[in-house]
Amino acid sequence: MTPASARLARQHSRCRLTAWHWAGDLDDAVLVVSELVANAARHGKATGRHLWLRLALTDEDELIVDVSDPGRTFPGFEGGAVAPGEGGRGLLVVRQLTDEFGWFLRAGHGKTVRAKLPRPTST
């Protein structure tokens, strides 16, 4: 969990979603991944522990992004507003780009933050 984690997660996600031929908004998906991974690397860091990224597609072609870290809390999740000059704007962006956004504890392993991006719209 380093500052490079978000960059690596963006690269991995873009490659994976392209390989899957996901027809959703690739830039939105990569942005959501980047924000969640950066947040985990910054706030969930623990010596000897790792960050975990999981991408999955539902049967309806929605994208599920799971980011897990050893932290057991999610600071800033409850509030919908961010005070001027403070961090946390990334979570506001994630909320706007996703259909569902939440988090849950993982027994003995910290927490997972989950975001679900909408299925691609037909053109």
Side-chain angles (χ1 to χ4, degrees):
M1 296 197 299
T2 69
S5 298
R7 178 180 53 83
L8 295 171
R10 282 192 303 272
Q11 292 171 345
H12 168 75
S13 300
R14 187 172 296 278
C15 288
R16 175 63 55 197
L17 294 173
T18 299
W20 286 346
H21 303 287
W22 186 60
D25 191 316
L26 192 60
D27 291 330
D28 284 357
V30 170
L31 179 59
V32 167
V33 166
S34 180
E35 291 295 339
L36 295 182
V37 168
N39 193 55
R42 182 175 183 193
H43 300 290
K45 192 172 189 173
T47 304
R49 301 294 302 271
H50 299 280
L51 175 141
W52 180 71
L53 169 65
R54 175 182 168 265
L55 303 175
L57 297 177
T58 68
D59 290 339
E60 292 81 28
D61 209 25
E62 297 164 310
L63 175 64
I64 296 174
V65 177
D66 283 346
V67 177
S68 301
D69 66 56
R72 299 195 49 82
T73 62
F74 191 179
F77 179 80
E78 285 75 19
V82 176
E86 292 185 7
R89 287 180 181 82
L91 295 180
L92 295 176
V93 171
V94 170
R95 281 187 173 101
Q96 291 176 343
L97 296 177
T98 58
D99 282 349
E100 295 177 27
F101 182 47
W103 70 285
F104 53 91
L105 292 175
R106 297 174 60 227
H109 298 288
K111 72 173 172 305
T112 295
V113 178
R114 176 169 288 166
K116 186 188 295 184
L117 282 88
R119 68 181 179 184
T121 55
S122 44
T123 54

